[in-house]
Amino acid sequence: MLELSRRNLMIGGAGLLGAGLLMSKPGDESGPRDDYFIGLQAALTEAGIASPTLVIDQARLDANIDTLMGHLPPGMAYRIVAKSLPSLDLIAHIRQRSGSSRVMTFNQPMLSALSKAMPDADQLLGKPLPVAAAKNYFKSLDSTQSPAAMNIQWLIDTPERLRQYRDLAAATGQTLRVNFELDVGLHRGGLEAGDTLKAMLEAVRDAAEFSFAGFMGYEPHLAALPETLGWRERAKSGAWRRYSEALAQATEVLGADAVAKLVRNAAGSPTYRYYQGTDVANEISAGSCLVKPTHFDTPLLEPHLPASFIATPVIKSLAQTRLPGLEFAADGQRAWDPNTSRTVFIYGGNWLADPVDPPGLSYNKTFGRSSNQEMLTGGHNLVIAPDEFVFLRPHQSEALFLQFGDIAVYGDGRITQRWPVFPASA
């Protein structure tokens, strides 16, 4: 929708007069298109694709899987994060290449879909589910699929949730594998070593309804902390200390032999490379680094390649930018910022993504965002015709991957497959 505000009018008109006093004059960032995207555009055109589409480059995906597996120390297992890779075919491909049958799931529809498609997968919940959602999961399975439930680790974060799941186990006649969520510094809930954790470990040990599977300690905050004055290093040491204290308490209650067999899950894409041994964690979870949206452009993930793009057709390509009601200011705006000289309107828009090809494209802040025909402006050297494609890099995968229907898989210069995604509710 067009979003012209009083502030935008000032920016587009009189505000331009004082812009030079506040910042240096921008240079023209437009230029020739990248051969990579020209090839990707040709593949989409050949496949008859003519609407906004999420594309995954299979060669880059495979390289990222190999990079991740190559960084893992001996004895460290890998768990595939389904919310960041929300497609059964995508997960199946990663399972095959990585050799991992471990998956982290995050809601009941996703849990049910994976249990039906991959009953052998070891599923660890990435967040605690309301017990009503767990009940719905059991209702979703038919008699032939019930063995898949034995491969689930239900995440537990409080004594009350543990009591709820004990009642569920009794009602379903199932022995539930439970995994305890630890707070290792993120402070988003979870348990720490102390009286509560001890009592919960004892309750699981003594209850026939439960089998204790292990711990999960998630610490994405580490990568966001500054290295200045050792803040990040202290937080990392603190996270591992908290995890070690929980393991020590589990050893007191369950014994060393039992603890040695537990899952000790940690990390995510931003932090998996911190784990150079298995003294604290024995498995890491990661997903986003395999497709690498822009939020994962970090020093630790530098070896990973961007492997996912939004491709959307150009609806209109205009040789000159004109803004409604601000035509009088257009010459001044273009003179100040050459990157506002030309305009394209794309099919759809308003996604959490940044344009990357053609080079120099950007959203027009004065015109505003649109989910119907997004306006992008570029410099004098912008050359793109209607029906050609603009490419954007997502900020994240997760919910965004669910907005485009089947994923187009790009390999060997063509679109080789289409991978359905989970339903939007998942």
Side-chain angles (χ1 to χ4, degrees):
M1 178 180 291
L2 187 64
E3 297 176 358
L4 293 172
S5 66
R6 187 180 187 89
R7 178 175 177 274
N8 287 338
L9 287 169
M10 292 179 64
I11 293 173
L16 290 170
L17 300 177
L21 301 176
L22 301 176
M23 62 187 75
S24 59
K25 187 177 185 300
D28 191 334
E29 297 178 5
S30 62
R33 299 189 66 181
D34 191 303
D35 288 343
Y36 173 81
F37 292 108
I38 294 292
L40 184 48
Q41 176 175 273
L44 292 164
T45 301
E46 181 185 9
I49 293 172
S51 59
T53 301
L54 195 288
V55 182
I56 287 181
D57 184 318
Q58 184 173 333
R60 292 188 177 194
L61 170 67
D62 289 347
N64 288 338
I65 297 168
D66 296 346
T67 294
L68 183 148
M69 299 306 294
H71 281 307
L72 299 187
M76 184 71 78
Y78 167 53
R79 189 172 293 274
I80 303 162
V81 178
K83 72 177 175 64
S84 303
L85 306 159
S87 161
L88 289 173
D89 290 320
L90 175 55
I91 293 169
H93 179 83
I94 295 167
R95 284 191 62 181
Q96 190 277 328
R97 191 165 185 98
S98 68
S100 174
S101 62
R102 306 183 188 208
V103 183
M104 181 173 282
T105 45
F106 290 81
N107 54 49
Q108 182 262 310
M110 190 181 295
L111 191 67
S112 297
L114 280 159
S115 288
K116 293 173 183 177
M118 306 175 189
D120 63 315
D122 179 288
Q123 296 191 68
L124 168 61
L125 269 298
K127 64 186 177 189
L129 288 192
V131 71
K135 291 178 182 177
N136 290 337
Y137 165 77
F138 283 105
K139 291 177 183 177
S140 75
L141 301 179
D142 62 35
S143 58
T144 64
Q145 297 160 345
S146 57
M150 300 301 295
N151 294 326
I152 295 171
Q153 299 179 48
W154 302 95
L155 194 65
I156 303 296
D157 58 334
T158 64
E160 176 59 24
R161 203 179 307 275
L162 187 64
R163 286 190 288 271
Q164 292 174 341
Y165 273 75
R166 184 171 183 175
D167 292 342
L168 174 64
T172 59
Q174 296 272 352
T175 299
L176 300 184
R177 300 170 70 209
V178 293
N179 186 299
F180 285 176
E181 181 180 18
L182 298 178
D183 180 2
V184 295
L186 182 59
H187 305 321
R188 192 175 64 181
L191 300 159
E192 298 181 56
D195 292 342
T196 300
L197 177 58
K198 181 180 179 182
M200 290 175 65
L201 287 166
E202 290 171 343
V204 169
R205 179 196 62 192
D206 298 337
E209 295 89 350
F210 290 136
S211 170
F212 189 57
F215 293 105
M216 184 192 78
Y218 186 42
E219 27 59 340
H221 62 288
L222 297 182
L225 293 173
E227 294 182 311
T228 308
L229 302 177
W231 286 353
R232 184 185 300 175
E233 191 60 34
R234 283 197 300 274
K236 183 170 67 174
S237 297
W240 292 353
R241 185 190 70 251
R242 288 168 181 257
Y243 211 132
S244 297
E245 290 169 351
L247 291 174
Q249 192 155 43
T251 301
E252 293 176 7
V253 175
L254 306 175
D257 289 344
V259 170
K261 299 174 184 177
L262 296 179
V263 168
R264 292 178 275 121
N265 178 272
S269 287
T271 57
Y272 86 87
R273 291 190 63 194
Y274 288 142
Y275 293 84
Q276 300 299 310
T278 57
D279 49 333
V280 176
N282 61 12
E283 75 166 31
I284 61 94
S285 299
S288 295
C289 65
L290 302 185
V291 290
K292 201 179 185 184
T294 62
H295 284 180
F296 298 85
D297 288 343
T298 66
L300 274 177
L301 295 179
E302 190 277 331
H304 290 265
L305 303 170
S308 57
F309 303 95
I310 298 168
T312 189
V314 172
I315 301 296
K316 300 155 187 171
S317 182
L318 308 180
Q320 189 176 77
T321 297
R322 302 177 69 204
L323 294 171
L326 299 174
E327 292 85 355
F328 67 92
D331 289 344
Q333 189 177 50
R334 287 193 297 270
W336 167 252
D337 184 358
N339 298 295
T340 63
S341 299
R342 298 176 182 268
T343 290
V344 295
F345 287 93
I346 59 174
Y347 188 151
N350 205 22
W351 302 298
L352 293 174
D354 297 323
V356 292
D357 186 84
L361 282 179
S362 62
Y363 302 116
N364 190 287
K365 295 179 181 178
T366 306
F367 193 89
R369 304 298 302 272
S370 172
S371 301
N372 176 35
Q373 295 183 63
E374 183 103 78
M375 179 187 194
L376 300 173
T377 52
H380 296 289
N381 299 313
L382 171 63
V383 178
I384 191 167
D387 300 336
E388 294 184 323
F389 283 83
V390 165
F391 294 93
L392 307 94
R393 278 188 66 199
H395 294 171
Q396 59 177 27
S397 49
E398 299 188 16
L400 185 138
F401 273 34
L402 304 178
Q403 298 177 31
F404 301 93
D406 294 354
I407 294 169
V409 183
Y410 176 60
D412 298 323
R414 60 192 182 90
I415 302 303
T416 60
Q417 300 177 71
R418 298 300 297 268
W419 288 343
V421 296
F422 289 125
S425 60

